[in-house]
Amino acid sequence: MSVVFKPKILVVGPCEAGKSYISNFIAEATESRGGEYHPTQGVRILEFECYGESADETKKSFKAEVELWDCSGNRKYESCWPAFWHGSNGVILVYRKRSEEQAVEQWYDLFVARQHLKDSQCIIFTQGDVSPSSQKLNGVHNVSINIEKDPEEARVAFNSFLASLFANWQSTQIDEEDGIISA
Ligand SMILES: Nc1nc2c(ncn2[C@@H]2O[C@H](COP(=O)(O)OP(=O)(O)O)[C@@H](O)[C@H]2O)c(=O)[nH]1
Ligand SMILES: [Mg+2]
């Protein structure tokens, strides 16, 4: 019997970085094709299910009922950000220009560091030939993806990210149980 894991995963980054495109692909929504740009209004929540195996030594199998929050990069929705990061298990940072790196550091600060998420609960998806040079983002795993050229690589990267989120969640569950037992 596999455990059911219900992660809330945020996709954040600058406008037109490809967040919605990547989110659609990950969730296997039909609109993952290029074309006219439709800025996301506030947030779009995509729900899907998949199966995986824990990234830790337990290799426990799980079923994930994922809530993928494709967040707008527009600062006009800043007042909604606390609702975005509330209870999130992981963050996918997306960007594709070197000049956007500073903005990405700010997203990292707010959505990862300040929310006490570990670096392993964050992943950077870059498109194009930008390679992160930021000290701050040093500990975060970075994957350069090109969904059109190599969709499998992006899928594998997401699945292994999900497996590490599961391992992390599982360890917090065990800590909580220990807390109950020792209380
Ligand atoms: N063909 C193609 N188009 C892309 C890709 N990534 C983004 N786009 C297009 O670039 C534009 C901006 O992407 P979008 O995901 O909406 O950016 P967001 O503002 O970060 O959500 C849209 O028109 C997308 O269809 C890609 O890998 N291939
Ligand atoms: Mg969008």
Side-chain angles (χ1 to χ4, degrees):
M1 193 193 71
S2 64
V3 187
V4 180
F5 174 42
K6 298 184 174 180
K8 171 178 176 181
I9 303 174
L10 310 183
V11 183
V12 296
C15 292
E16 293 195 58
K19 299 182 298 298
S20 296
Y21 189 91
I22 291 170
S23 300
N24 284 343
F25 170 76
I26 292 172
E28 291 178 300
T30 44
E31 273 183 274
S32 59
R33 53 183 166 73
E36 216 177 309
Y37 176 55
H38 299 285
T40 303
Q41 307 297 318
V43 65
R44 216 167 46 107
I45 302 173
L46 302 170
E47 293 180 296
F48 60 96
E49 291 179 359
C50 57
Y51 292 84
E53 210 175 66
S54 181
D56 62 18
E57 62 289 348
T58 67
K59 299 247 187 289
K60 203 178 178 97
S61 53
F62 64 85
K63 175 187 179 188
E65 296 176 4
V66 181
E67 255 187 30
L68 192 67
W69 288 50
D70 171 21
C71 305
S72 165
N74 195 316
R75 292 222 163 225
K76 77 176 180 195
Y77 299 108
E78 220 170 310
S79 62
C80 306
W81 288 1
F84 293 176
W85 65 54
H86 177 76
S88 106
N89 298 79
V91 176
I92 300 175
L93 294 169
V94 179
Y95 70 109
R96 56 172 156 191
K97 293 189 197 114
R98 188 57 158 290
S99 58
E100 292 168 338
E101 205 165 69
Q102 232 179 342
V104 171
E105 287 183 345
Q106 290 173 8
W107 264 291
Y108 171 83
D109 278 335
L110 286 169
F111 285 81
V112 182
R114 277 226 232 149
Q115 306 313 314
H116 307 292
L117 296 188
K118 297 180 192 142
D119 278 355
S120 62
Q121 289 171 277
C122 182
I123 192 167
I124 300 170
F125 281 164
T126 49
Q127 301 209 79
D129 46 37
V130 46
S131 58
S133 60
S134 153
Q135 277 297 103
K136 188 171 278 192
L137 304 174
N138 219 359
V140 180
H141 184 48
N142 166 61
V143 187
S144 165
I145 58 167
N146 185 330
I147 290 172
E148 278 166 314
K149 251 201 203 145
D150 194 349
E152 197 49 32
E153 187 190 29
R155 175 99 44 218
V156 167
F158 176 76
N159 288 345
S160 74
F161 178 56
L162 189 61
S164 72
L165 294 185
F166 175 77
N168 186 77
W169 173 77
Q170 208 185 12
S171 72
T172 62
Q173 298 293 103
I174 291 164
D175 289 347
E176 275 171 29
E177 279 169 30
D178 286 351
I180 293 162
I181 293 161
S182 61

Short mmCIF file of all heavy atoms in Angstrom, two decimals, residues 132-180:
data_model
loop_
_atom_site.label_atom_id
_atom_site.label_comp_id
_atom_site.label_asym_id
_atom_site.label_seq_id
_atom_site.Cartn_x
_atom_site.Cartn_y
_atom_site.Cartn_z
N PRO A 132 22.97 29.85 -13.60
CA PRO A 132 22.94 30.67 -12.39
C PRO A 132 24.35 30.94 -11.86
O PRO A 132 25.18 30.05 -11.82
CB PRO A 132 22.16 29.82 -11.40
CG PRO A 132 21.47 28.80 -12.19
CD PRO A 132 22.29 28.58 -13.42
N SER A 133 24.59 32.20 -11.48
CA SER A 133 25.91 32.54 -10.95
C SER A 133 25.76 33.09 -9.53
O SER A 133 26.73 33.48 -8.90
CB SER A 133 26.58 33.59 -11.84
OG SER A 133 25.76 34.73 -11.88
N SER A 134 24.53 33.10 -9.04
CA SER A 134 24.25 33.70 -7.74
C SER A 134 24.75 32.83 -6.59
O SER A 134 24.53 31.62 -6.57
CB SER A 134 22.74 33.89 -7.62
OG SER A 134 22.33 33.87 -6.29
N GLN A 135 25.44 33.46 -5.64
CA GLN A 135 25.91 32.78 -4.43
C GLN A 135 24.73 32.23 -3.64
O GLN A 135 24.75 31.13 -3.13
CB GLN A 135 26.67 33.76 -3.53
CG GLN A 135 28.10 33.99 -3.89
CD GLN A 135 28.91 32.71 -3.76
OE1 GLN A 135 29.23 32.07 -4.76
NE2 GLN A 135 29.25 32.31 -2.53
N LYS A 136 23.73 33.10 -3.53
CA LYS A 136 22.57 32.78 -2.72
C LYS A 136 21.85 31.52 -3.21
O LYS A 136 21.34 30.75 -2.43
CB LYS A 136 21.60 33.97 -2.78
CG LYS A 136 20.46 33.85 -1.84
CD LYS A 136 19.66 35.12 -1.78
CE LYS A 136 20.29 36.12 -0.84
NZ LYS A 136 19.45 37.24 -0.55
N LEU A 137 21.86 31.34 -4.53
CA LEU A 137 21.13 30.21 -5.12
C LEU A 137 22.02 28.99 -5.31
O LEU A 137 21.61 27.99 -5.88
CB LEU A 137 20.51 30.62 -6.46
CG LEU A 137 19.60 31.84 -6.45
CD1 LEU A 137 19.18 32.22 -7.86
CD2 LEU A 137 18.38 31.61 -5.58
N ASN A 138 23.22 29.12 -4.78
CA ASN A 138 24.24 28.09 -4.92
C ASN A 138 23.82 26.69 -4.49
O ASN A 138 24.16 25.70 -5.12
CB ASN A 138 25.45 28.52 -4.09
CG ASN A 138 26.72 28.19 -4.79
OD1 ASN A 138 26.68 27.63 -5.88
ND2 ASN A 138 27.84 28.52 -4.18
N GLY A 139 23.07 26.64 -3.37
CA GLY A 139 22.69 25.34 -2.81
C GLY A 139 21.46 24.73 -3.47
O GLY A 139 21.04 23.64 -3.10
N VAL A 140 20.89 25.47 -4.41
CA VAL A 140 19.65 24.99 -5.03
C VAL A 140 19.97 24.27 -6.34
O VAL A 140 20.73 24.76 -7.16
CB VAL A 140 18.69 26.17 -5.31
CG1 VAL A 140 17.40 25.68 -5.96
CG2 VAL A 140 18.38 26.93 -4.03
N HIS A 141 19.40 23.10 -6.48
CA HIS A 141 19.64 22.31 -7.69
C HIS A 141 19.08 23.04 -8.90
O HIS A 141 17.94 23.50 -8.88
CB HIS A 141 18.99 20.94 -7.52
CG HIS A 141 19.26 20.01 -8.64
ND1 HIS A 141 20.53 19.80 -9.14
CD2 HIS A 141 18.44 19.22 -9.37
CE1 HIS A 141 20.46 18.93 -10.13
NE2 HIS A 141 19.21 18.56 -10.29
N ASN A 142 19.91 23.14 -9.93
CA ASN A 142 19.47 23.85 -11.13
C ASN A 142 19.44 22.90 -12.32
O ASN A 142 20.38 22.15 -12.56
CB ASN A 142 20.46 24.99 -11.40
CG ASN A 142 20.28 25.55 -12.79
OD1 ASN A 142 19.22 26.03 -13.14
ND2 ASN A 142 21.32 25.43 -13.59
N VAL A 143 18.33 22.94 -13.04
CA VAL A 143 18.22 22.11 -14.23
C VAL A 143 17.87 23.00 -15.41
O VAL A 143 16.92 23.78 -15.37
CB VAL A 143 17.12 21.04 -14.08
CG1 VAL A 143 17.15 20.08 -15.25
CG2 VAL A 143 17.28 20.27 -12.79
N SER A 144 18.69 22.90 -16.44
CA SER A 144 18.41 23.65 -17.65
C SER A 144 17.51 22.79 -18.52
O SER A 144 17.88 21.67 -18.89
CB SER A 144 19.73 23.95 -18.36
OG SER A 144 19.47 24.36 -19.66
N ILE A 145 16.30 23.28 -18.77
CA ILE A 145 15.36 22.43 -19.52
C ILE A 145 14.98 23.04 -20.86
O ILE A 145 15.02 24.25 -21.06
CB ILE A 145 14.06 22.14 -18.70
CG1 ILE A 145 13.36 23.45 -18.31
CG2 ILE A 145 14.35 21.31 -17.47
CD1 ILE A 145 11.96 23.22 -17.79
N ASN A 146 14.63 22.16 -21.76
CA ASN A 146 14.09 22.56 -23.05
C ASN A 146 13.01 21.54 -23.39
O ASN A 146 13.30 20.44 -23.86
CB ASN A 146 15.20 22.57 -24.11
CG ASN A 146 14.69 23.10 -25.43
OD1 ASN A 146 13.51 22.97 -25.76
ND2 ASN A 146 15.59 23.71 -26.19
N ILE A 147 11.78 21.90 -23.05
CA ILE A 147 10.67 20.96 -23.14
C ILE A 147 10.45 20.46 -24.56
O ILE A 147 10.13 19.29 -24.78
CB ILE A 147 9.39 21.56 -22.52
CG1 ILE A 147 9.59 21.66 -21.00
CG2 ILE A 147 8.15 20.73 -22.84
CD1 ILE A 147 8.52 22.39 -20.26
N GLU A 148 10.66 21.35 -25.53
CA GLU A 148 10.45 20.91 -26.91
C GLU A 148 11.50 19.91 -27.36
O GLU A 148 11.20 18.94 -28.04
CB GLU A 148 10.43 22.12 -27.84
CG GLU A 148 9.07 22.78 -27.83
CD GLU A 148 9.11 24.16 -28.45
OE1 GLU A 148 10.02 24.94 -28.13
OE2 GLU A 148 8.22 24.44 -29.26
N LYS A 149 12.74 20.20 -26.98
CA LYS A 149 13.84 19.34 -27.41
C LYS A 149 13.95 18.06 -26.61
O LYS A 149 14.20 16.99 -27.13
CB LYS A 149 15.16 20.11 -27.27
CG LYS A 149 15.78 20.50 -28.59
CD LYS A 149 17.27 20.77 -28.39
CE LYS A 149 17.82 21.67 -29.47
NZ LYS A 149 18.86 22.55 -28.95
N ASP A 150 13.80 18.21 -25.29
CA ASP A 150 14.00 17.05 -24.43
C ASP A 150 12.96 17.03 -23.30
O ASP A 150 13.27 17.32 -22.14
CB ASP A 150 15.43 17.10 -23.84
CG ASP A 150 15.83 15.77 -23.22
OD1 ASP A 150 14.95 14.90 -23.05
OD2 ASP A 150 17.02 15.61 -22.90
N PRO A 151 11.72 16.68 -23.65
CA PRO A 151 10.66 16.68 -22.64
C PRO A 151 10.94 15.69 -21.51
O PRO A 151 10.61 15.96 -20.35
CB PRO A 151 9.40 16.30 -23.42
CG PRO A 151 9.86 15.70 -24.69
CD PRO A 151 11.21 16.28 -24.98
N GLU A 152 11.60 14.58 -21.86
CA GLU A 152 11.86 13.54 -20.88
C GLU A 152 12.74 14.06 -19.73
O GLU A 152 12.50 13.76 -18.56
CB GLU A 152 12.54 12.35 -21.59
CG GLU A 152 12.52 11.05 -20.85
CD GLU A 152 11.16 10.67 -20.29
OE1 GLU A 152 10.13 11.00 -20.90
OE2 GLU A 152 11.14 10.03 -19.21
N GLU A 153 13.72 14.87 -20.08
CA GLU A 153 14.63 15.41 -19.07
C GLU A 153 13.87 16.27 -18.05
O GLU A 153 14.10 16.20 -16.85
CB GLU A 153 15.72 16.23 -19.76
CG GLU A 153 16.80 16.69 -18.81
CD GLU A 153 17.74 17.70 -19.45
OE1 GLU A 153 17.30 18.45 -20.36
OE2 GLU A 153 18.90 17.75 -19.04
N ALA A 154 12.95 17.08 -18.56
CA ALA A 154 12.16 17.94 -17.68
C ALA A 154 11.27 17.09 -16.78
O ALA A 154 11.12 17.36 -15.58
CB ALA A 154 11.33 18.91 -18.51
N ARG A 155 10.70 16.06 -17.36
CA ARG A 155 9.82 15.17 -16.60
C ARG A 155 10.60 14.45 -15.50
O ARG A 155 10.17 14.39 -14.34
CB ARG A 155 9.18 14.16 -17.58
CG ARG A 155 8.33 13.10 -16.98
CD ARG A 155 6.84 13.34 -17.03
NE ARG A 155 6.32 13.84 -18.28
CZ ARG A 155 5.33 14.74 -18.34
NH1 ARG A 155 4.81 15.24 -17.24
NH2 ARG A 155 4.88 15.15 -19.50
N VAL A 156 11.78 13.94 -15.85
CA VAL A 156 12.63 13.24 -14.87
C VAL A 156 13.04 14.20 -13.75
O VAL A 156 13.01 13.86 -12.57
CB VAL A 156 13.88 12.64 -15.57
CG1 VAL A 156 14.92 12.20 -14.56
CG2 VAL A 156 13.48 11.48 -16.46
N ALA A 157 13.38 15.43 -14.13
CA ALA A 157 13.80 16.43 -13.13
C ALA A 157 12.65 16.72 -12.16
O ALA A 157 12.85 16.79 -10.95
CB ALA A 157 14.26 17.71 -13.82
N PHE A 158 11.45 16.84 -12.70
CA PHE A 158 10.31 17.10 -11.81
C PHE A 158 10.06 15.90 -10.91
O PHE A 158 9.85 16.05 -9.70
CB PHE A 158 9.03 17.45 -12.60
CG PHE A 158 7.85 17.61 -11.68
CD1 PHE A 158 7.70 18.77 -10.93
CD2 PHE A 158 6.93 16.58 -11.51
CE1 PHE A 158 6.64 18.91 -10.03
CE2 PHE A 158 5.87 16.71 -10.61
CZ PHE A 158 5.72 17.88 -9.87
N ASN A 159 10.10 14.70 -11.48
CA ASN A 159 9.83 13.50 -10.67
C ASN A 159 10.85 13.33 -9.55
O ASN A 159 10.49 12.94 -8.44
CB ASN A 159 9.79 12.25 -11.56
CG ASN A 159 8.53 12.22 -12.41
OD1 ASN A 159 7.58 12.95 -12.15
ND2 ASN A 159 8.53 11.40 -13.44
N SER A 160 12.10 13.64 -9.82
CA SER A 160 13.07 13.46 -8.74
C SER A 160 12.92 14.57 -7.69
O SER A 160 13.14 14.34 -6.50
CB SER A 160 14.50 13.31 -9.27
OG SER A 160 14.97 14.54 -9.70
N PHE A 161 12.49 15.74 -8.14
CA PHE A 161 12.19 16.81 -7.18
C PHE A 161 11.04 16.38 -6.26
O PHE A 161 11.11 16.51 -5.03
CB PHE A 161 11.84 18.10 -7.94
CG PHE A 161 11.47 19.27 -7.08
CD1 PHE A 161 12.32 19.73 -6.09
CD2 PHE A 161 10.26 19.94 -7.27
CE1 PHE A 161 11.99 20.81 -5.29
CE2 PHE A 161 9.93 21.03 -6.48
CZ PHE A 161 10.77 21.46 -5.49
N LEU A 162 10.00 15.82 -6.86
CA LEU A 162 8.85 15.34 -6.10
C LEU A 162 9.27 14.25 -5.10
O LEU A 162 8.82 14.24 -3.95
CB LEU A 162 7.80 14.80 -7.08
CG LEU A 162 6.43 14.45 -6.53
CD1 LEU A 162 5.75 15.68 -5.93
CD2 LEU A 162 5.56 13.87 -7.64
N ALA A 163 10.18 13.39 -5.53
CA ALA A 163 10.66 12.31 -4.65
C ALA A 163 11.42 12.89 -3.46
O ALA A 163 11.33 12.37 -2.34
CB ALA A 163 11.55 11.36 -5.44
N SER A 164 12.13 14.00 -3.67
CA SER A 164 12.84 14.58 -2.52
C SER A 164 11.88 15.37 -1.63
O SER A 164 12.04 15.40 -0.41
CB SER A 164 14.06 15.40 -2.96
OG SER A 164 13.65 16.59 -3.55
N LEU A 165 10.83 15.94 -2.22
CA LEU A 165 9.80 16.60 -1.38
C LEU A 165 9.10 15.56 -0.52
O LEU A 165 8.80 15.80 0.65
CB LEU A 165 8.76 17.33 -2.24
CG LEU A 165 9.22 18.52 -3.06
CD1 LEU A 165 8.03 19.18 -3.75
CD2 LEU A 165 9.95 19.54 -2.20
N PHE A 166 8.87 14.40 -1.11
CA PHE A 166 8.21 13.34 -0.35
C PHE A 166 9.10 12.89 0.82
O PHE A 166 8.63 12.74 1.94
CB PHE A 166 7.86 12.14 -1.24
CG PHE A 166 7.29 10.98 -0.47
CD1 PHE A 166 5.98 11.01 -0.05
CD2 PHE A 166 8.09 9.90 -0.12
CE1 PHE A 166 5.45 9.98 0.71
CE2 PHE A 166 7.57 8.85 0.63
CZ PHE A 166 6.25 8.89 1.05
N ALA A 167 10.39 12.70 0.53
CA ALA A 167 11.32 12.26 1.58
C ALA A 167 11.32 13.27 2.72
O ALA A 167 11.29 12.91 3.90
CB ALA A 167 12.73 12.11 1.00
N ASN A 168 11.30 14.53 2.35
CA ASN A 168 11.30 15.59 3.35
C ASN A 168 10.02 15.57 4.19
O ASN A 168 10.05 15.66 5.41
CB ASN A 168 11.44 16.92 2.63
CG ASN A 168 11.61 18.05 3.59
OD1 ASN A 168 12.67 18.24 4.14
ND2 ASN A 168 10.54 18.78 3.84
N TRP A 169 8.90 15.40 3.50
CA TRP A 169 7.60 15.38 4.18
C TRP A 169 7.51 14.18 5.11
O TRP A 169 7.08 14.28 6.25
CB TRP A 169 6.49 15.33 3.12
CG TRP A 169 5.12 15.14 3.67
CD1 TRP A 169 4.34 16.09 4.28
CD2 TRP A 169 4.35 13.93 3.66
NE1 TRP A 169 3.14 15.53 4.64
CE2 TRP A 169 3.12 14.22 4.27
CE3 TRP A 169 4.58 12.64 3.18
CZ2 TRP A 169 2.12 13.25 4.43
CZ3 TRP A 169 3.58 11.68 3.34
CH2 TRP A 169 2.37 12.00 3.96
N GLN A 170 8.02 13.05 4.62
CA GLN A 170 8.00 11.83 5.41
C GLN A 170 8.83 12.00 6.69
O GLN A 170 8.42 11.56 7.76
CB GLN A 170 8.59 10.69 4.56
CG GLN A 170 8.05 9.35 4.94
CD GLN A 170 8.74 8.24 4.16
OE1 GLN A 170 9.76 8.43 3.50
NE2 GLN A 170 8.20 7.07 4.24
N SER A 171 9.96 12.67 6.59
CA SER A 171 10.79 12.86 7.78
C SER A 171 10.10 13.80 8.77
O SER A 171 10.23 13.62 9.98
CB SER A 171 12.19 13.35 7.42
OG SER A 171 12.14 14.67 6.99
N THR A 172 9.33 14.78 8.29
CA THR A 172 8.62 15.65 9.23
C THR A 172 7.49 14.88 9.90
O THR A 172 7.17 15.12 11.06
CB THR A 172 8.05 16.92 8.57
OG1 THR A 172 7.09 16.53 7.59
CG2 THR A 172 9.12 17.77 7.93
N GLN A 173 6.87 13.93 9.17
CA GLN A 173 5.81 13.10 9.75
C GLN A 173 6.38 12.27 10.90
O GLN A 173 5.79 12.17 11.96
CB GLN A 173 5.22 12.13 8.71
CG GLN A 173 4.57 12.80 7.54
CD GLN A 173 3.32 13.54 7.93
OE1 GLN A 173 3.34 14.77 8.05
NE2 GLN A 173 2.26 12.83 8.19
N ILE A 174 7.58 11.71 10.67
CA ILE A 174 8.22 10.88 11.69
C ILE A 174 8.57 11.74 12.91
O ILE A 174 8.30 11.36 14.04
CB ILE A 174 9.47 10.17 11.12
CG1 ILE A 174 9.02 9.12 10.10
CG2 ILE A 174 10.31 9.52 12.22
CD1 ILE A 174 10.10 8.61 9.17
N ASP A 175 9.09 12.96 12.66
CA ASP A 175 9.40 13.87 13.77
C ASP A 175 8.15 14.15 14.60
O ASP A 175 8.19 14.18 15.82
CB ASP A 175 9.95 15.20 13.24
CG ASP A 175 11.36 15.04 12.68
OD1 ASP A 175 11.96 13.98 12.94
OD2 ASP A 175 11.84 15.97 12.02
N GLU A 176 7.03 14.36 13.88
CA GLU A 176 5.78 14.65 14.60
C GLU A 176 5.36 13.46 15.45
O GLU A 176 4.95 13.63 16.59
CB GLU A 176 4.67 15.00 13.62
CG GLU A 176 4.70 16.48 13.24
CD GLU A 176 3.75 16.83 12.11
OE1 GLU A 176 2.72 16.14 11.99
OE2 GLU A 176 4.05 17.77 11.37
N GLU A 177 5.49 12.27 14.90
CA GLU A 177 5.14 11.07 15.66
C GLU A 177 6.02 10.95 16.89
O GLU A 177 5.54 10.66 17.97
CB GLU A 177 5.29 9.81 14.81
CG GLU A 177 4.09 9.58 13.89
CD GLU A 177 4.37 8.48 12.88
OE1 GLU A 177 5.15 7.57 13.19
OE2 GLU A 177 3.78 8.54 11.78
N ASP A 178 7.32 11.21 16.72
CA ASP A 178 8.24 11.17 17.85
C ASP A 178 7.80 12.17 18.90
O ASP A 178 7.84 11.91 20.09
CB ASP A 178 9.67 11.51 17.40
CG ASP A 178 10.30 10.35 16.62
OD1 ASP A 178 9.68 9.28 16.59
OD2 ASP A 178 11.38 10.54 16.06
N GLY A 179 7.38 13.35 18.42
CA GLY A 179 6.92 14.40 19.33
C GLY A 179 5.75 13.94 20.15
O GLY A 179 5.68 14.17 21.36
N ILE A 180 4.83 13.22 19.50
CA ILE A 180 3.64 12.73 20.20
C ILE A 180 4.03 11.69 21.23
O ILE A 180 3.61 11.72 22.38
CB ILE A 180 2.60 12.14 19.19
CG1 ILE A 180 2.04 13.27 18.32
CG2 ILE A 180 1.47 11.41 19.90
CD1 ILE A 180 1.36 12.80 17.04
#
